């Protein structure tokens, strides 16, 4: 069996292709439910183009155009962070060995260094992905924990242009959740409603909101409802608008955000997560064995930032 303590270090191209790109492209990015940009040159600037709404005019010879499209941009502040994990040699070996033996294409009598490397990579990549997901939702620079940057919730509650809908005292259950969605849609600005046809609007909710909506749907006696109850629903939608679970229930309540119910409506492309491993010369992934402490260690360093591009395109439900 290959030596599990062989040191490994990934930088530049390997850092991108082995670790980060699989986390933020394709199905992995889709599961996050937001817009992800990776390795955009720094400073990370996202252009916002607003074309002229009336460009038609009578035909004449020559150039009679004038104003160009209105161009705006949003700069995403990037923070340099690191992730460090240490395991006792025994715990580390057990986790790696379990990942290896769960694969059908592995010869257990001839475990090579490549098999070990893939298992180590999968273990650390999963830890980094979950930490980034948590940080982008509930990060708060004013909190005691998870405070490396302001995540989307902190920005939703603090940006002045975000519209808050007063729902104080309402208990979210199967009877009230649809009423909540209706009120949020009614309060949405016309610019946000106009984006519905593009299919990217979403209610970003805590798990209890989705549970309440499922309870509401379970009341219908159609055959399709019976099928949903027995096999589950892969995706929940309200009038064509997707419901996305932020997956933060295990961290609630938070010091910065009261209560255990949070929900806001916006376009998925309005929430941007930016990750950069190309413009920081110290960005790396390193895995090694420390014989003095008899501990397997993993470390990652990279740049990350998140931003709401247009806070006026958000409707927030306030339950307190």
């Amino acid at each position: 069996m290959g030596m599990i303590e062989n040191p490994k270090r990934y930088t530049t191209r390997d850092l991108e292709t082995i670790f980060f790109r699989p986390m933020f492209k394709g199905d992995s990015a889709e599961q996050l439910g937001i817009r992800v940009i990776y390795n955009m040159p720094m400073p990370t600037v996202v252009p916002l183009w607003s074309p002229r709404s009336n460009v038609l005019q009578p035909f004449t010879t020559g150039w009679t155009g004038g104003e160009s499209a209105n161009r705006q941009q949003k700069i995403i502040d990037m923070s340099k962070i690191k992730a460090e994990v240490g395991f006792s040699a025994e715990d580390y070996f057990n986790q790696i060995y379990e990942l290896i033996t769960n694969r059908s294409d592995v010869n257990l009598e001839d475990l090579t260094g490549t098999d070990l490397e893939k298992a180590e990579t999968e273990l650390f990549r999963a830890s980094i992905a979950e930490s980034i997901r948590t940080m982008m939702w509930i990060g708060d620079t004013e909190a005691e924990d998870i405070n490396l940057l302001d995540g989307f919730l902190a920005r939703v509650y603090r940006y002045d242009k975000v519209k808050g809908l007063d729902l104080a005292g309402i208990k979210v259950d199967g009877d009230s959740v649809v009423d909540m969605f209706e009120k949020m849609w009614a309060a949405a600005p016309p610019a946000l409603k106009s984006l519905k046809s593009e299919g990217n609007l979403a209610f970003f909710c805590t798990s209890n909101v989705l549970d309440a909506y499922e309870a509401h749907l379970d009341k219908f006696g159609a055959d399709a409802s019976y099928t949903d109850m027995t096999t589950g629903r892969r995706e929940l939608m309200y009038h064509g608008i997707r419901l996305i679970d932020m997956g933060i229930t295990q961290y609630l309540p938070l010091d910065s955000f009261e209560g255990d119910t949070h929900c806001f409506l916006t376009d998925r492309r309005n929430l941007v997560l930016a990750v950069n491993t190309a413009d920081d010369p110290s960005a790396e992934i390193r895995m090694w064995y420390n014989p003095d402490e008899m501990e397997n260690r993993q470390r990652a360093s990279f740049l990350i930032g998140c931003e709401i591009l247009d806070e006026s395109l958000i409707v927030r439900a306030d339950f307190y």
Side-chain angles (χ1 to χ4, degrees):
M1 185 172 178
M3 296 297 289
I4 203 167
E5 63 265 23
N6 288 341
K8 300 173 183 65
R9 181 172 182 261
Y10 302 95
T11 59
T12 59
R13 185 65 176 174
D14 289 339
L15 182 61
E16 174 182 347
T17 57
I18 295 175
F19 273 89
F20 284 93
R21 190 164 291 277
M23 287 193 287
F24 301 118
K25 294 295 181 182
D27 293 340
S28 297
E30 178 69 19
Q31 291 171 1
L32 289 175
I34 62 169
R35 179 180 177 184
V36 181
I37 55 177
Y38 181 67
N39 274 355
M40 181 176 287
M42 293 182 63
T44 305
V45 180
V46 181
L48 306 174
W49 290 94
S50 178
R52 293 177 59 192
S53 59
N54 183 13
V55 296
L56 302 179
Q57 53 186 299
F59 178 80
T60 58
T61 59
W63 173 257
T64 57
E67 299 178 5
S68 301
N70 298 321
R71 183 178 184 274
Q72 298 177 333
Q73 61 184 24
K74 197 81 175 248
I75 297 178
I76 301 179
D77 294 328
M78 304 293 288
S79 301
K80 184 174 181 178
I81 64 174
K82 68 175 181 177
E84 292 182 334
V85 181
F87 300 90
S88 69
E90 181 179 359
D91 291 341
Y92 190 74
F93 178 83
N94 289 337
Q95 292 190 60
I96 294 296
Y97 192 75
E98 180 181 1
L99 289 174
I100 293 175
T101 54
N102 283 340
R103 290 171 47 198
S104 60
D105 60 340
V106 172
N107 180 2
L108 297 180
E109 296 180 358
D110 183 24
L111 292 177
T112 66
T114 301
D115 294 324
L116 289 171
E117 184 173 345
K118 290 180 179 179
E120 287 179 306
T121 299
E122 181 180 346
L123 178 65
F124 196 28
R125 184 166 55 205
S127 298
I128 294 174
E130 175 59 18
S131 297
I132 291 176
R133 189 196 68 81
T134 303
M135 182 68 65
M136 78 176 190
W137 285 120
I138 63 173
D140 182 4
T141 54
E142 298 180 6
E144 295 183 0
D145 193 17
I146 314 181
N147 55 10
L148 298 180
L149 54 84
D150 283 332
F152 293 127
L153 268 187
R155 298 170 190 272
V156 163
Y157 280 103
R158 291 173 187 159
Y159 281 176
D160 294 335
K161 293 183 180 180
V162 173
K163 181 177 180 58
L165 186 63
D166 186 6
L167 299 176
I170 294 180
K171 180 181 179 181
V172 176
D173 54 28
D175 295 325
S176 65
V177 67
V178 173
D179 183 54
M180 179 192 74
F181 291 149
E182 289 178 351
K183 289 180 178 179
M184 294 179 71
W185 178 250
L192 181 60
K193 290 182 177 180
S194 69
L195 298 174
K196 183 179 180 180
S197 61
E198 299 181 18
N200 284 297
L201 296 191
F203 289 99
F204 292 91
C205 314
T206 46
S207 299
N208 60 331
V209 174
L210 276 78
D211 293 341
Y213 188 52
E214 279 204 293
H216 169 78
L217 297 177
D218 289 342
K219 295 179 180 179
F220 297 97
D223 292 341
S225 297
Y226 175 79
T227 302
D228 288 342
M229 290 183 66
T230 55
T231 63
R233 301 177 177 91
R234 295 186 59 185
E235 185 176 74
L236 290 176
M237 303 186 76
Y238 171 75
H239 287 181
I241 302 176
R242 184 180 174 188
L243 274 63
I244 296 178
D245 190 346
M246 292 183 285
I248 59 174
T249 300
Q250 64 270 34
Y251 302 104
L252 300 175
L254 300 169
D255 294 337
S256 306
F257 319 116
E258 298 180 20
D260 59 359
T261 302
H262 302 278
C263 182
F264 63 92
L265 169 66
T266 190
D267 190 291
R268 295 168 57 189
R269 298 165 297 185
N270 197 27
L271 308 180
V272 177
L273 171 69
V275 179
N276 191 299
T277 61
D279 293 330
D280 180 9
S282 63
E284 67 170 2
I285 297 286
R286 186 187 294 269
M287 298 180 288
W288 75 99
Y289 177 72
N290 185 325
D292 295 333
E293 301 292 336
M294 299 183 65
E295 184 178 64
N296 283 89
R297 295 178 175 179
Q298 300 171 321
R299 176 189 293 141
S301 61
F302 51 95
L303 297 166
I304 187 173
C306 61
E307 185 58 270
I308 297 172
L309 298 183
D310 189 345
E311 56 265 34
S312 67
L313 297 180
I314 295 181
V315 177
R316 180 189 72 230
D318 292 338
F319 297 96
Y320 55 90

